[in-house]
Amino acid sequence: VRAMEENEIEEHMSEGSSLEQEETESGISIDSDSESLEEPQNYSPSFWTRRKNVLKLLAAFFLLATGLVLGGLFVYLSDDEPLTTSQITFQLGETPVQNPGEEPVVEVAKAVSPSVVLVEIPTLGQGSGIILDTDGHIATNGHVVDDAESVLITLPNGRKIEANVIGSDIRRDVAVVKLQETVEDLTPATFAPSDDIQVGQLAVAVGSPFDLSQTVTSGIVSAIGRVVSSYGCEVGGFNSAECAGISTIQTDAPINPGNSGGPLADRYGRVIGMNTLIYTDGIVEGNVGVGFALPSDTVVLVAQRLIEGEPVGTAWLGIRGESPDDGRGGAIIVDLTQGSPADSAGLEVGDLIVASEGRPILTMESLRADIQLRLPGMAITLDYERNNELFSTEVTLGDLDKFLAEP
């Protein structure tokens, strides 16, 4: 479980407008169905002893895995055709729940529960996971697996099987594990594009809070695009390349320690996010109605690359910016690194970035989160205002790790 105090949250958010690395938005790439979200976090004293002195203070965000465990990830679908990679196939099909009826939560629970597993690191802690395919790939949070090379999986039918950790991305808190044995009757989850998510819609969480497997709770999507500091900020520090602001889905569906890595589903039984954090007052390590889930698009992109053995880098724009305080949306460039991707694309200090790939940018934090969803080398179109005129430019994103390594 991870927690962040309110003063640290405010400090981190303010640094987003003053630190190049944060505002240049390190991030992993994501397709046109991706979405951004937000909020910070730290680790609770009862779960991470080395942070206990820091965690005695104010309200905190907790990763929802119990014990000292970390990381994990999960996958999702896109378009109307199966997406194949060298190692895994993500299948799209009809929505699991065709007619939610008068008891939609009941129908969603029936559809989603067979795809949810318990993820354990013996003697350390546990979380939840989402079955991705019939080959035995399972997504969970990065903070659930931490540095473990293998974990113990409890399937929906109670069978326990060892699984190898395929990879973990601490910047986005996503990891993938694969069962060591072949299982014939696995039920992969169905995922929904992040663009389908709406504030106010039904949200159903399934997982293993406090070691209570197959627990189902429900609520609504309270907000989208909540930017939170990633697990990497806790591991490497707020000024490290591992630190990223990630976009999340806020929900009031009760989620608690142990729900980390489990699905948040819509009324049609499709996974819209992976439960990752809860906000607490720093005293009670339980749900207070403010939880956060990684959006399906983010999880899918990271999972695909981890499964394929490809690097999950951090994209770099090369600006320092801030949010307007005059009622306008967007991100104002206040400083720009010479020779950076933004500089090469013709952006200038004073430009107001208002959209990325056609999607509105409301704040500097949302721009940072948008870039952090992308990969180095990816070309994106940014819309910006200059002298009351609207322009567009294509930017080829750089590699933050390489930039930070330069003398």
Side-chain angles (χ1 to χ4, degrees):
V1 173
R2 183 160 67 96
M4 171 173 281
E5 305 153 8
E6 287 179 350
N7 56 348
E8 290 188 53
I9 293 171
E10 293 173 359
E11 177 183 357
H12 180 56
M13 288 309 188
S14 64
E15 287 176 352
S17 62
S18 61
L19 293 177
E20 164 110 25
Q21 158 198 341
E22 291 183 330
E23 299 178 310
T24 50
E25 315 90 14
S26 57
I28 147 172
S29 118
I30 180 167
D31 64 22
S32 61
D33 282 335
S34 66
E35 184 120 31
S36 293
L37 314 165
E38 78 177 33
E39 211 72 38
Q41 57 251 16
N42 240 354
Y43 282 83
S44 155
S46 62
F47 290 96
W48 204 358
T49 55
R50 72 181 180 83
R51 293 289 181 182
K52 66 181 180 181
N53 291 332
V54 176
L55 302 177
K56 289 178 180 177
L57 303 179
L58 307 175
F61 286 95
F62 285 86
L63 291 174
L64 304 180
T66 62
L68 302 179
V69 282
L70 313 170
L73 63 75
F74 86 88
V75 194
Y76 113 112
L77 323 159
S78 70
D79 298 328
D80 295 326
E81 299 180 359
L83 171 62
T84 31
T85 68
S86 59
Q87 299 183 31
I88 187 168
T89 299
F90 301 99
Q91 296 182 343
L92 285 171
E94 295 183 346
T95 57
V97 178
Q98 294 293 310
N99 181 14
E102 295 181 358
E103 295 288 353
V105 176
V106 174
E107 298 304 318
V108 171
K110 291 178 181 177
V112 176
S113 294
S115 303
V116 183
V117 302
L118 172 65
V119 182
E120 295 178 278
I121 300 180
T123 73
L124 289 181
Q126 55 112 114
S128 304
I130 306 169
I131 297 175
L132 303 176
D133 61 14
T134 56
D135 292 331
H137 290 99
I138 295 169
T140 183
N141 281 135
H143 72 267
V144 172
V145 301
D146 194 11
D147 295 327
E149 296 182 356
S150 64
V151 298
L152 180 64
I153 300 296
T154 302
L155 299 176
N157 62 7
R159 180 181 176 185
K160 295 181 181 292
I161 303 177
E162 293 285 335
N164 296 323
V165 177
I166 301 300
S168 179
D169 175 17
I170 64 173
R171 287 187 181 102
R172 287 103 201 160
D173 202 7
V174 174
V176 173
V177 304
K178 185 177 182 182
L179 298 176
Q180 295 179 2
E181 301 176 28
T182 300
V183 179
E184 300 295 336
D185 56 351
L186 293 177
T187 303
T190 298
F191 296 82
S194 295
D195 280 350
D196 289 352
I197 304 171
Q198 300 182 60
V199 174
Q201 74 174 62
L202 179 68
V204 179
V206 183
S208 304
F210 304 111
D211 203 22
L212 301 172
S213 298
Q214 298 293 310
T215 295
V216 178
T217 58
S218 66
I220 63 170
V221 170
S222 304
I224 57 178
R226 293 294 191 198
V227 178
V228 304
S229 60
S230 70
Y231 168 58
C233 301
E234 181 66 31
V235 174
F238 288 107
N239 294 328
S240 69
E242 288 78 16
C243 184
I246 54 175
S247 192
T248 63
I249 302 167
Q250 180 182 332
T251 180
D252 69 350
I255 51 180
N256 292 284
N259 272 117
S260 275
L264 186 70
D266 65 11
R267 68 188 299 109
Y268 300 107
R270 303 178 302 172
V271 175
I272 60 174
M274 176 190 290
N275 298 317
T276 303
L277 303 171
I278 56 173
Y279 180 82
T280 111
D281 59 6
I283 300 174
V284 179
E285 294 171 358
N287 177 267
V288 293
V290 184
F292 303 92
L294 296 173
S296 54
D297 287 346
T298 301
V299 177
V300 170
L301 178 64
V302 177
Q304 290 172 344
R305 294 188 68 85
L306 290 176
I307 291 169
E308 293 174 349
E310 298 179 0
V312 183
T314 299
W316 177 60
L317 183 57
I319 69 166
R320 184 167 61 87
E322 59 187 24
S323 303
D325 58 5
D326 57 3
R328 295 180 300 167
I332 301 173
I333 299 176
V334 299
D335 195 10
L336 185 147
T337 301
Q338 185 175 4
S340 67
D343 183 34
S344 300
L347 292 171
E348 301 177 359
V349 171
D351 288 345
L352 177 67
I353 299 174
V354 295
S356 172
E357 290 293 287
R359 296 183 178 184
I361 295 296
L362 301 180
T363 63
M364 183 60 216
E365 288 76 19
S366 63
L367 173 61
R368 180 160 53 93
D370 179 87
I371 298 300
Q372 288 167 349
L373 291 176
R374 309 184 186 281
L375 294 172
M378 188 176 186
I380 63 171
T381 299
L382 294 179
D383 298 333
Y384 63 97
E385 292 181 6
R386 178 186 297 169
N387 298 326
N388 296 320
E389 292 187 55
L390 184 63
F391 301 90
S392 293
T393 185
E394 184 175 275
V395 182
T396 300
L397 300 172
D399 189 320
L400 179 63
D401 295 329
K402 291 182 179 179
F403 171 73
L404 294 177
E406 294 177 356

